[in-house]
Amino acid sequence: MTPRPVPTARRVRLATELRKLRERAGLTSTEAAQMLGTSSGQLSNVESARFGVSPDRVRAMAHIYSCTNQPYIDALADMAAEKTRGWWWDAYREVLPSGLLTLAELEHHATAIRTAFTSHVPGMLQVSEHAREIFSRAIPAPTPPEVEHRVSHRIKRQDVVFRKNPNPYSTVIHEAALHMRVGGRQVSRQQLGHLIDMSLRDHITLRVLPFDVGAFPGSGQSINYLCGPVTALDTVQLDQFHGPVLLDAEAHLEKYRRLLDVVEGIALSPAKSRDLIHAIIQSL
């Protein structure tokens, strides 16, 4: 028997949302299956992302579950219509952890990205020399091919900020990350100069959180907030030593939106952020 392909992150999220819809409607899987004219086993396979589902079926399920949020229903139907995998799957599925493939998929489909980093430059804005130095310091020590796979994957992810008609990208970087001489003075100057260049792009907003701000919410944590076509389909990605963690519960989304609002509010303006980066370059 041919193994069933691993579901994409979007299919897993679609399955989760369909289960939430059924539960909010107060229906058991058996009751819902009867109303849909299918078996509870078939419905279970859909809700666990083992089986796909058509856009028409998604709309029928939303109707039966008394969901009237049309933009949300349309977004779910669009997710169901997506049948292809992106560049991250064919090129990297055998050489990189699945969490990195999922992150690339979520970034590719995000309508906007908001981030906050306290100890490093965001991967979306790293130059290859900076990324290579970071990956080469991992524990356990990676082989040279492993380092190059990770570097090429990171640079390829940056297509979302370079492609035609890119979506908004906003980031807050703590001043501490800007002072770290990753790769030495030359690489540091190159990296900081790249941040300034990228911050001048219309769709990119870069703010620096200076040392004199002191304590702030979320300190010590890196946050990726990936906006979906509707707020209910947003995703938070947090970096952990063992790999990325994804959160999509409504309470989590609200918490991290508020946290990012606060951090963005106390950070320097984009213009003053560039001035600070220029000053750090001069000090190197």
Side-chain angles (χ1 to χ4, degrees):
M1 180 180 294
T2 303
R4 187 173 292 114
V6 177
T8 64
R10 278 164 69 80
R11 195 166 98 184
V12 171
R13 182 60 181 276
L14 172 61
T16 299
E17 294 300 317
L18 292 175
R19 176 181 54 77
K20 289 179 181 178
L21 277 178
R22 175 180 59 76
E23 292 174 345
R24 283 197 290 265
L27 296 172
T28 67
S29 57
T30 299
E31 291 169 338
Q34 290 175 345
M35 297 174 72
L36 289 164
T38 187
S39 67
S40 57
Q42 180 78 10
L43 182 58
S44 175
N45 282 326
V46 169
E47 291 184 350
S48 60
R50 287 191 291 269
F51 290 175
V53 62
S54 72
D56 288 342
R57 192 62 159 171
V58 167
R59 295 184 187 279
M61 295 170 81
H63 176 72
I64 287 173
Y65 298 155
S66 301
C67 178
T68 59
N69 186 337
Q70 197 57 50
Y72 174 66
I73 296 170
D74 291 342
L76 294 181
D78 287 343
M79 292 169 71
E82 179 65 52
K83 302 299 182 184
T84 60
R85 297 177 182 271
W87 58 265
W88 50 87
W89 180 258
D90 291 334
Y92 295 98
R93 63 187 172 90
E94 295 184 353
V95 294
L96 291 181
S98 60
L100 293 180
L101 308 187
T102 296
L103 177 57
E105 180 183 348
L106 292 172
E107 290 171 337
H108 176 80
H109 290 288
T111 59
I113 299 175
R114 301 173 68 188
T115 69
F117 293 86
T118 57
S119 61
H120 61 275
V121 172
M124 199 64 70
L125 301 180
Q126 289 180 9
V127 297
S128 57
E129 292 81 359
H130 182 105
R132 185 172 291 107
E133 178 69 14
I134 293 293
F135 289 132
S136 67
R137 300 287 182 173
I139 296 175
T143 65
E146 288 172 338
V147 171
E148 293 309 311
H149 283 315
R150 288 181 178 255
V151 171
S152 65
H153 177 262
R154 175 154 293 180
I155 300 305
K156 182 65 176 175
R157 281 172 48 209
Q158 296 175 3
D159 177 66
V160 301
V161 294
F162 285 109
R163 65 193 178 191
K164 186 178 180 180
N165 300 320
N167 291 319
Y169 179 85
S170 175
T171 188
V172 176
I173 309 173
H174 196 280
E175 184 179 350
L178 305 177
H179 284 280
M180 292 184 183
R181 295 183 180 179
V182 176
R185 283 187 172 86
Q186 183 175 348
V187 172
S188 294
R189 288 194 183 98
Q190 180 186 4
Q191 178 61 73
L192 294 175
H194 181 67
L195 290 178
I196 292 175
D197 292 342
M198 296 299 288
S199 74
L200 294 171
R201 292 174 176 256
D202 291 340
H203 64 288
I204 293 178
T205 303
L206 187 153
R207 299 179 180 89
V208 173
L209 199 63
F211 283 127
D212 59 15
V213 164
F216 59 94
S219 59
Q221 187 175 54
S222 296
I223 303 165
N224 271 321
Y225 192 100
L226 305 149
C227 301
V230 294
T231 303
L233 294 177
D234 293 352
T235 304
V236 174
Q237 182 260 322
L238 305 177
D239 284 336
Q240 301 291 337
F241 187 76
H242 59 276
V245 172
L246 302 179
L247 305 173
D248 55 38
E250 184 177 349
H252 288 143
L253 297 178
E254 173 63 19
K255 171 185 175 179
Y256 284 100
R257 280 196 301 271
R258 291 177 59 193
L259 191 154
L260 286 168
D261 287 343
V262 171
V263 172
E264 289 172 358
I266 61 178
L268 298 176
S269 69
K272 290 184 177 180
S273 295
R274 282 191 289 272
D275 290 342
L276 178 55
I277 296 173
H278 274 298
I280 296 172
I281 292 175
Q282 294 301 315
S283 71
L284 289 172

